[in-house]
Amino acid sequence: MKQIIFLKGQSQYGSLRLHIDQAAEAASALGYKPVVLDLTDEGVKAGFWGLLGGDNALILTQNIGGDLRFEGKSMAEVAGCPHCVMFVDHPAAQQPRVAAATKDQILTFLDGSHVRWVEMMMPGKAGALALIPPGGNVKTPPPVDASADEFMARRDIPMLFTGTWHDHKAKRWAQHNGTPVGKLLDATFDIAMAHNMMPVEGALEAAMISIYGDVDRQVYNKLLTFSFLLSAQVHSTRRWEALVALAKAGAPVHLYGKGWEKHLYRFKSFTYGGEGTFEETLENLKRTRIVLNTNTNFVAGAHERVFAAQMAGAAVLSDVSSWYQAHFTDGSDIALFEWVPTNTVAVKAEELLASPEKMHAIAAAGRAKTEAENSWQNRLQEILKIAEGMKVGA
């Protein structure tokens, strides 16, 4: 039996560690032997390279491992199989790890614009690049809600949001204030905020044309290193705007995550549950009617939170992305809101909360779609298909 090696390490809220555990279960279901190596275990760390032997089909890691070397050899070369690194951040935030990729590696990303960023910044990097978001995590699927009445009776959390507070007022390129670079980044941010689905890389091009009349590709490529900071600024600002809009509308949101304590006075209709862990979130999803997703500015991609919520039987309310538009149908298996010209999150939430039948219908259709198309088995099959065409050491 061929085996798939999984590597896991530290993770905020425990999410990436659970991703690996769920992917390993999926590997077993597909007929592979999963081997999970935990780098927080000192014994594993001490004997790590000796644990990569066997008849291996694939190595799968998230963010980590692509830059590890043993006597000059990559993990893929030592294990004799392709290595897939699933990046869950913008590649600009993981530049050293992306730059260390070899032709034996598959790099996957959460957003199509992230793939294009690597193609522009590091052409020819890795054996393959792909847009493959993580699969949906669910430890024990809840019973299917057969009716709107069952849906409402089983789920006592009207609306759930989980995520860390980020300071949207602290400009991440403040050291460049007043300089040509600072003015260009300010304009890029403003343009991105004026669109629902414009990647910051596209906004940077538009800003350069607006200010200078054309795009100097050499300068543009240098400024692409700011992509993560720009994207994070848009994300933190929009996350704040969504929650403020819901609070003003009196929405009954249950909020979990780090850093919100000193801001709760702004969210009087909210119930704060503390920091929470990823495993706690998965259990809360089973009690939830609507899960709010702000898509981390993945305007051409997807967030795992959506799939986990759907597998748990909740209806998902998310901001728009071209990935969701291509794979779901707004109002049928997902509810999508826009940022401009008007932020519609509160209106959409109010409409859903007022209609148990609509919430239940979207939840049921979303669950069926994601169980069929967005499981970890689906993701592993996609990755293994790419790996089949790769030769290690070629």
Side-chain angles (χ1 to χ4, degrees):
M1 177 185 292
K2 281 191 172 292
Q3 63 187 22
I4 297 178
I5 297 174
F6 298 91
L7 199 65
K8 64 181 181 179
Q10 299 289 343
S11 171
Q12 181 173 238
Y13 300 117
S15 57
L16 299 189
R17 293 177 62 80
L18 188 57
H19 284 190
I20 292 297
D21 290 339
Q22 298 257 292
E25 290 180 16
S28 181
L30 290 172
Y32 293 87
K33 177 185 176 183
V35 177
V36 179
L37 303 180
D38 188 347
L39 289 182
T40 65
D41 183 317
E42 292 301 321
V44 169
K45 287 172 69 175
F48 175 73
W49 292 100
L51 299 173
L52 299 183
D55 186 10
N56 300 313
L58 182 74
I59 302 167
L60 182 71
T61 63
Q62 291 198 314
N63 284 350
I64 62 174
D67 54 349
L68 296 179
R69 299 291 184 269
F70 178 71
E71 296 181 351
K73 293 184 178 181
S74 67
M75 286 178 64
E77 291 174 298
V78 174
C81 66
H83 175 189
C84 177
V85 185
M86 300 186 76
F87 285 98
V88 296
D89 296 317
H90 195 292
Q94 299 284 343
Q95 285 188 69
R97 288 171 170 169
V98 176
T102 67
K103 291 296 182 181
D104 303 321
Q105 291 178 16
I106 304 162
L107 307 185
T108 71
F109 299 92
L110 299 165
D111 191 287
S113 68
H114 298 178
V115 175
R116 290 188 290 276
W117 187 94
V118 176
E119 290 172 339
M120 288 187 290
M121 291 292 286
M122 304 175 189
K125 182 56 63 179
L129 306 175
L131 165 56
I132 302 179
N137 293 293
V138 57
K139 297 199 76 173
T140 305
V144 172
D145 298 313
S147 67
D149 288 341
E150 280 190 17
F151 177 85
M152 296 296 286
R154 184 173 286 129
R155 298 172 182 275
D156 61 322
I157 298 176
M159 194 168 182
L160 177 68
F161 180 78
T162 61
T164 302
W165 175 80
H166 296 290
D167 188 355
H168 66 287
K169 293 183 178 179
K171 191 162 60 174
R172 288 160 171 80
W173 54 91
Q175 69 271 31
H176 298 287
N177 279 349
T179 69
V181 168
K183 291 175 182 178
L184 190 54
L185 295 177
D186 288 345
T188 301
F189 172 76
D190 290 340
I191 291 170
M193 288 292 294
H195 293 78
N196 283 306
M197 293 183 289
M198 180 176 281
V200 293
E201 294 80 14
L204 176 59
E205 280 193 343
M208 293 183 76
I209 291 170
S210 174
I211 295 173
Y212 300 112
D214 63 2
V215 178
D216 182 318
R217 286 295 160 185
Q218 190 172 12
V219 174
Y220 176 77
N221 284 351
K222 287 182 179 179
L223 290 172
L224 283 179
T225 57
F226 288 94
S227 289
F228 173 68
L229 298 181
L230 286 161
S231 189
Q233 192 76 33
V234 174
H235 168 226
S236 61
T237 303
R238 285 186 158 167
R239 169 178 285 187
W240 179 262
E241 288 180 353
L243 294 177
V244 167
L246 288 165
K248 287 181 177 179
V253 176
H254 286 229
L255 174 66
Y256 290 82
K258 295 179 181 178
W260 292 102
E261 293 85 353
K262 62 183 179 182
H263 304 285
L264 294 178
Y265 71 94
R266 297 178 181 270
F267 305 108
K268 292 184 170 55
S269 64
F270 288 20
T271 300
Y272 182 56
E275 178 179 324
T277 66
F278 194 64
E279 294 206 11
E280 286 175 319
T281 295
L282 292 183
E283 291 304 310
N284 284 335
L285 292 176
K286 300 174 188 178
R287 301 169 45 206
T288 298
R289 298 168 189 170
I290 300 171
V291 171
L292 173 66
N293 176 63
T294 57
N295 213 43
T296 320
N297 203 41
F298 300 152
V299 296
H303 196 291
E304 177 277 333
R305 181 189 297 114
V306 168
F307 310 133
Q310 290 175 323
M311 284 188 164
V316 170
L317 174 60
S318 176
D319 51 337
V320 290
S321 89
S322 58
W323 197 97
Y324 297 141
Q325 291 180 331
H327 292 82
F328 295 110
T329 301
D330 183 22
S332 176
D333 46 24
I334 197 170
L336 298 174
F337 68 90
E338 295 185 332
W339 299 106
V340 293
T342 304
N343 185 338
T344 60
V345 64
V347 171
K348 288 271 189 159
E350 187 176 11
E351 290 174 353
L352 288 173
L353 289 167
S355 176
E357 292 76 15
K358 186 69 173 176
M359 281 190 289
H360 173 246
I362 289 175
R367 179 173 181 169
K369 171 69 72 94
T370 279
E371 286 180 343
E373 299 180 8
N374 297 306
S375 69
W376 271 109
Q377 286 191 40
N378 297 134
R379 300 299 185 250
L380 276 182
Q381 287 170 326
E382 291 179 73
I383 293 166
L384 287 164
K385 187 174 181 179
I386 297 172
E388 285 173 4
M390 296 177 64
K391 292 183 179 179
V392 175

